[in-house]
Amino acid sequence: MAYELYYWPTIQGRGEFVRLALEEAGADYIDVARESEGIAVMMRMMERADHPPFAPPFLKDGETVIGQTAAILLYLGARHGLAPKEPAGGLWTHQIQLTISDFVAEAHDTHHPLGVGLYYEDQKQEALRRSQEFRDSRIPKFLHWF
Ligand SMILES: N[C@@H](CCC(=O)N[C@@H](CS)C(=O)NCC(=O)O)C(=O)O
């Protein structure tokens, strides 16, 4: 049965991490929100009573629904031989992905330092300050670690 990937159809965003893994694995999948009525289906999935995902991306594999990019990749990595199967190697790979997730969140927050729900135009000054610090300190620290 094909995996179902749920992600916003007009941006690459975090959905791309999952697409890349699915493509690398040669797995069958449906990009649900790109189908007609797909966004409505995606929104309904987030209201389900049983294990509702907080936000896209999320992946459905039969009855199993997995949210959080790093958790999805942990699942796919083990199933498709994209990550080590033995616990230490699997955890190390997961740790790298969680650090990438932190980096993505910090990059996003340079444009939304005061609030995710506020427009960039309403927080431009703060965004400038945050971006400066991100460039000067955070990017070098992350890249050094990677
Ligand atoms: N920690 C989550 C973050 C998920 C996330 O922020 N998704 C964004 C799109 S990239 C979203 O739609 N967020 C809606 C919200 O947070 O209300 C992950 O890594 O998957």
Side-chain angles (χ1 to χ4, degrees), residues 1-142:
M1 188 190 296
Y3 291 112
E4 293 176 16
L5 168 63
Y6 293 80
Y7 194 69
W8 304 111
T10 54
I11 55 172
Q12 291 165 312
R14 291 176 172 95
E16 200 71 356
F17 286 88
V18 182
R19 278 191 205 100
L20 287 172
L22 290 166
E23 292 288 335
E24 179 66 20
D28 268 350
Y29 69 100
I30 304 162
D31 221 323
V32 177
R34 289 186 173 174
E35 314 254 297
S36 89
E37 307 298 318
I39 293 190
V41 175
M42 181 168 91
M43 300 317 275
R44 277 200 297 280
M45 283 286 290
M46 286 192 284
E47 282 157 20
R48 58 189 264 139
D50 187 24
H51 296 181
F54 176 75
F58 51 92
L59 187 78
K60 189 164 183 289
D61 180 19
E63 291 306 304
T64 306
V65 178
I66 313 144
Q68 294 288 346
T69 308
I72 300 168
L73 295 176
L74 183 70
Y75 182 75
L76 290 175
R79 286 172 65 90
H80 293 281
L82 301 172
K85 275 203 166 50
E86 42 85 27
L91 273 175
W92 171 240
T93 310
H94 189 43
Q95 182 184 326
I96 294 170
Q97 182 54 45
L98 286 168
T99 308
I100 293 171
S101 296
D102 288 346
F103 190 35
V104 169
E106 288 197 27
H108 171 273
D109 288 351
T110 58
H111 288 73
H112 302 274
L114 295 184
V116 174
L118 300 175
Y119 285 110
Y120 165 66
E121 282 71 22
D122 298 330
Q123 42 190 322
K124 248 178 167 170
Q125 283 311 315
E126 294 83 1
L128 273 173
R129 289 188 65 193
R130 180 72 183 258
S131 300
Q132 183 77 50
E133 199 265 346
F134 183 62
R135 284 199 306 274
D136 292 348
S137 156
R138 300 301 288 169
I139 291 179
K141 181 168 182 178
F142 275 104

